[in-house]
């Protein structure tokens, strides 16, 4: 399966313009054979926008934004993972991502569980114990958001559930290049799965994003990588490579969970 990652500067407070960008990138990705397009964290609204803007812009998971993304997915025959501020039925606001398939159906919605600093904590509620695993074109997909992947338990949980690919929309900033350059590859290697990390570039207020989006393979290599500028990158997921790596690197089989109980 071929996937595409869109690394771009944010367009804060401009959901209509972001949907237009999504339309163009979905068309480009589909033309180049991608079955899935992954966008950064809070792509539709911008990330560093403050509680007032988040509250005003947040939508339900089946709201007008979702309907428009579904139209784009159907038009171009491509699945789309996008970040947005979610207004829940209970009135809370979550930093969420939603995966829409090429038929325009929602495969899954995930809410960020580990909130980063004052920026996240002043805008969002933390997601609960809901880590959906969905299937796309025969591949089992899990979802995390940005800071979530920096906790090894999150990726390991998805790997133990059978994830072949973990999708991570992010808004990673300078000076945390280490996460994009090293930790992403380590998560893929230690969990024997692919990991797609789609980041912003450029600036948003006082935040400077580091780019460096990538798709890491289960052997720790990079199947695709970006620099610091806006780009659309592609990676071909190889089932045989995944199975061969799992056969030779048996971390999941060799675990001793009974030794880890003190961790919780």
């Amino acid at each position: 399966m071929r996937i595409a990652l869109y690394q771009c500067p944010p367009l804060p407070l401009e959901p209509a313009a972001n949907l237009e960008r999504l339309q163009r990138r979905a068309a480009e990705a589909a033309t180049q054979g991608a079955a899935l397009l992954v966008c950064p964290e809070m792509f539709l609204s911008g990330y560093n926008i403050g509680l007032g803007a988040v509250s005003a812009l947040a939508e339900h998971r089946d709201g007008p934004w979702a309907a428009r993304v579904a139209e784009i997915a159907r038009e171009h025959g491509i699945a789309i993972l996008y970040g947005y501020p979610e207004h829940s039925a209970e009135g809370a606001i979550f930093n969420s991502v939603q995966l829409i398939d090429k038929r325009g159906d929602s495969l899954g919605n995930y809410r960020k569980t580990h909130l980063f600093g004052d920026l996240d904590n002043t805008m969002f509620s933390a997601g609960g114990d809901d880590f959906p695993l969905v299937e796309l074109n025969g591949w089992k997909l899990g979802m995390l958001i940005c800071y979530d992947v920096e906790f090894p338990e999150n990726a390991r949980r998805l790997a133990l559930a059978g994830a072949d690919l973990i999708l991570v929309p992010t808004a990673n900033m300078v000076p945390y290049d280490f996460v994009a350059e090293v930790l992403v590859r380590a998560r893929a290697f230690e969990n024997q799965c692919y990991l797609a990390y789609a980041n912003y570039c450029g600036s948003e207020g006082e935040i400077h994003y580091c780019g460096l989006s990538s798709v890491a393979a289960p052997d720790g290599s990079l199947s695709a990588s970006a620099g610091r500028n806006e780009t659309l990158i592609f990676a071909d997921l190889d089932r045989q490579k995944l199975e061969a790596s799992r056969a030779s690197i048996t971390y999941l089989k060799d675990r001793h969970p009974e030794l880890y109980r003190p961790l919780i």
Side-chain angles (χ1 to χ4, degrees):
M1 180 170 67
R2 170 167 283 197
I3 65 173
L5 276 60
Y6 182 33
Q7 176 173 292
C8 58
L11 286 178
L13 310 178
E14 295 190 46
N18 286 315
L19 286 165
E20 289 178 5
R21 288 202 296 179
L22 182 61
Q23 167 87 6
R24 295 193 296 272
R25 296 292 84 79
E28 181 179 353
T31 298
Q32 298 195 43
L36 170 64
L37 172 62
V38 184
C39 299
E41 178 179 7
M42 293 282 285
F43 173 74
L44 292 185
S45 62
Y47 175 55
N48 184 27
I49 60 176
L51 177 59
V54 162
S55 300
L57 289 173
E59 288 194 358
H60 295 289
R61 67 178 68 181
D62 58 354
W65 288 344
R68 179 63 185 126
V69 174
E71 289 177 358
I72 295 170
R74 284 193 297 269
E75 179 180 352
H76 300 292
I78 188 171
I80 298 170
L81 182 72
Y82 66 98
Y84 72 108
E86 179 192 355
H87 192 282
S88 72
E90 299 75 26
I93 297 174
F94 296 96
N95 181 334
S96 297
V97 294
Q98 184 159 210
L99 178 59
I100 304 290
D101 71 13
K102 67 180 182 180
R103 295 177 298 274
D105 297 326
S106 175
L107 293 182
N109 191 82
Y110 171 75
R111 297 166 173 174
K112 189 174 186 178
T113 54
H114 293 66
L115 302 182
F116 178 75
D118 291 340
L119 187 58
D120 267 347
N121 280 283
T122 55
M123 293 192 291
F124 305 111
S125 296
D129 188 11
D130 185 14
F131 289 72
L133 195 70
V134 304
E135 187 168 318
L136 180 70
N137 292 7
W139 291 78
K140 294 181 180 178
L141 278 54
M143 294 171 277
L144 298 173
I145 300 174
C146 198
Y147 196 41
D148 289 334
V149 80
E150 299 179 40
F151 294 81
E153 300 86 352
N154 290 327
R156 178 54 52 87
R157 172 178 182 154
L158 290 170
L160 291 173
D164 301 315
L165 168 65
I166 299 175
L167 305 173
V168 189
T170 188
N172 189 24
M173 58 202 72
V174 175
Y176 305 115
D177 293 20
F178 176 87
V179 174
E181 294 176 329
V182 179
L183 190 147
V184 165
R185 296 173 65 184
R187 289 288 176 270
F189 184 77
E190 69 194 8
N191 290 295
Q192 285 302 288
C193 63
Y194 283 93
L195 195 149
Y197 190 78
N199 196 18
Y200 284 123
C201 58
S203 299
E204 188 180 28
E206 73 281 5
I207 293 178
H208 300 279
Y209 296 108
C210 64
L212 304 175
S213 300
S214 67
V215 178
D219 62 1
S221 65
L222 290 180
S223 299
S225 61
R228 303 288 186 178
N229 300 319
E230 182 172 3
T231 187
L232 191 66
I233 62 172
F234 295 85
D236 293 310
L237 308 187
D238 186 330
R239 174 67 65 182
Q240 290 185 340
K241 183 175 184 177
L242 175 65
E243 297 302 335
S245 186
R246 286 175 171 175
S248 63
I249 303 171
T250 54
Y251 287 141
L252 300 185
K253 180 177 72 69
D254 296 336
R255 296 168 63 251
H256 290 283
E258 70 278 4
L259 302 179
Y260 315 145
R261 292 193 183 102
L263 295 178
I264 57 170

